[in-house]
Amino acid sequence: MSNRIIVVGSMNMDMVVRTDHIPRPGETVLGGNFFMNPGGKGANQAVAVSRLGGDVVFVGKIGSDVFGKQAAQLFDDEGIDTSGLIEDDDNPSGIALITVDASGENSIVVASGANSNLTPADVSSQLDNYKDSKILLMQLETPMETVELAAKKAKENSMRVIVNPAPVNPRISSMFGMIDILTPNVTEAEMLTNLKIDSIADAKIAAEEINRQGVANVIITLGKMGAVLLEAGEFYHIPAPEVKVIDTTAAGDVFNGALAVALAEGKSLIEAVKFACQASAISVTKLGAQSSIPSRNEVLLNILD
């Protein structure tokens, strides 16, 4: 088995506006800087895997438009295998409208476009080409039937399946038995468990509930508090380095990409979570999604306390 990581997921063009605060319903605010940045959770995670030293194949769908062509070129520039990138003549590339406030928090609305037309047949044919891969990494910005089929085929080929349940889809619980590692953030974990998480102790209870529902290993990311891990009945809290937060947009994607890289290299799950916390901490000190993703050398040379 190779150390290859397959990322099945979304590609969007992010349109970002910085402003003092995220507007309330009915409120108009004057923003500051505007910029466009390639994004999408799947694409972000694939770029993170590549920059952090992983061998990655991206499987996804783009529109036959300027944004799709830009994404394909970016993947090539990043050294990502794009043999699984499918062009859709009937749907535009995905778009994300992102507002980032003064504290670095964000609000995101996504128009999925071609991402919503990534079919089980599309993914099945691509996974057949990479049966010797070690890890399948997915999110939920593509159709659930596609995610389910990919997980099933990955398990048939003895791959480790990591799912970042963002955005949360109620159907995810039906495939918990096929997921080796689930990586929700606090909001997602609350939605999956109907439990409120205000502390490390609360996160432990939520992780135990997700485990009870069938997921073997659970990681809940906690922002500035780091992450918690439930593995084989043992619970761990991994603190996050203290940094000046600029933009949290891709922090979760960097975490998942880094986690996959470390696991593909044979690190233990707790070692992989520590590496992921370091990488995501660096990412929040920069503006943008893919523009904030650190390189492997950057992480290794800037290990944060």
Side-chain angles (χ1 to χ4, degrees), residues 74-132:
L74 178 134
F75 287 148
D76 285 339
D77 294 344
E78 293 286 349
I80 296 168
D81 185 334
T82 59
S83 57
L85 193 60
I86 303 164
E87 191 169 289
D88 188 337
D89 293 329
D90 299 320
N91 293 281
S93 298
I95 295 293
L97 305 178
I98 303 175
T99 304
V100 181
D101 70 14
S103 68
E105 291 300 322
N106 62 72
S107 175
I108 305 174
V109 178
V110 176
S112 295
N115 296 309
S116 62
N117 197 35
L118 182 67
T119 67
D122 292 331
V123 170
S124 179
S125 62
Q126 297 301 326
L127 292 186
D128 284 341
N129 295 328
Y130 298 101
K131 291 181 179 179
D132 64 340

Side-chain angles (χ1 to χ4, degrees), residues 9-46:
S10 57
M11 188 294 300
N12 297 320
M13 181 59 70
D14 293 346
M15 299 185 179
V16 185
V17 177
R18 288 192 63 89
T19 186
D20 288 338
H21 67 276
I22 295 170
R24 298 183 298 273
E27 180 185 12
T28 299
V29 299
L30 293 177
N33 294 336
F34 167 79
F35 66 95
M36 293 195 299
N37 187 50
K41 297 192 71 62
N44 292 345
Q45 291 178 15

Side-chain angles (χ1 to χ4, degrees), residues 1 21 28 47 53 86 107 112 120 152 165 180 184 210 212 232 246-247:
M1 178 174 287
H21 67 276
T28 299
V47 171
I86 303 164
S107 175
S112 295
K152 181 179 179 181
D180 295 295
I210 295 171
R212 186 191 66 77
I246 302 298
D247 183 1

Side-chain angles (χ1 to χ4, degrees), residues 14 121 162 171 185 213 232 292:
D14 293 346
I162 305 173
R171 288 175 57 183
N185 63 19
Q213 294 179 36
S292 74

Side-chain angles (χ1 to χ4, degrees), residues 15-268:
M15 299 185 179
V16 185
V17 177
R18 288 192 63 89
T19 186
D20 288 338
H21 67 276
I22 295 170
R24 298 183 298 273
E27 180 185 12
T28 299
V29 299
L30 293 177
N33 294 336
F34 167 79
F35 66 95
M36 293 195 299
N37 187 50
K41 297 192 71 62
N44 292 345
Q45 291 178 15
V47 171
V49 170
S50 185
R51 287 190 193 169
L52 293 168
D55 177 11
V56 58
V57 177
F58 179 74
V59 178
K61 220 161 200 177
I62 55 175
S64 181
D65 52 33
V66 63
F67 294 147
K69 289 177 173 56
Q70 288 176 348
Q73 182 61 55
L74 178 134
F75 287 148
D76 285 339
D77 294 344
E78 293 286 349
I80 296 168
D81 185 334
T82 59
S83 57
L85 193 60
I86 303 164
E87 191 169 289
D88 188 337
D89 293 329
D90 299 320
N91 293 281
S93 298
I95 295 293
L97 305 178
I98 303 175
T99 304
V100 181
D101 70 14
S103 68
E105 291 300 322
N106 62 72
S107 175
I108 305 174
V109 178
V110 176
S112 295
N115 296 309
S116 62
N117 197 35
L118 182 67
T119 67
D122 292 331
V123 170
S124 179
S125 62
Q126 297 301 326
L127 292 186
D128 284 341
N129 295 328
Y130 298 101
K131 291 181 179 179
D132 64 340
S133 299
K134 183 172 277 188
I135 291 174
L136 172 66
L137 174 60
M138 297 187 289
Q139 332 72 38
L140 304 184
E141 288 185 335
T142 53
M144 278 303 300
E145 56 268 25
T146 302
V147 174
E148 291 168 358
L149 182 281
K152 181 179 179 181
K153 289 188 73 73
K155 297 308 292 181
E156 290 172 353
N157 291 304
S158 302
M159 295 182 209
R160 204 169 192 175
V161 177
I162 305 173
V163 176
N164 176 214
V168 169
N169 186 308
R171 288 175 57 183
I172 187 67
S173 60
S174 68
M175 55 179 289
F176 275 173
M178 294 187 288
I179 298 173
D180 295 295
I181 305 169
L182 193 74
T183 62
N185 63 19
V186 168
T187 301
E188 293 151 3
E190 288 179 338
M191 294 174 69
L192 290 169
T193 62
N194 292 316
L195 298 170
K196 184 67 176 172
I197 301 175
D198 291 317
S199 65
I200 302 300
D202 292 342
K204 179 176 185 292
I205 294 171
E208 290 171 341
E209 172 59 22
I210 295 171
N211 174 253
R212 186 191 66 77
Q213 294 179 36
V215 179
N217 304 287
V218 182
I219 300 167
I220 300 177
T221 56
L222 306 172
K224 65 182 180 182
M225 290 193 295
V228 296
L229 163 66
L230 184 65
E231 178 187 19
E234 295 294 323
F235 180 79
Y236 308 90
H237 172 227
I238 299 88
E242 291 188 11
V243 297
K244 178 178 173 56
V245 176
I246 302 298
D247 183 1
T248 62
T249 299
D253 298 329
V254 173
F255 182 96
N256 281 275
L259 180 77
V261 169
L263 292 173
E265 293 174 350
K267 290 184 172 61
S268 69

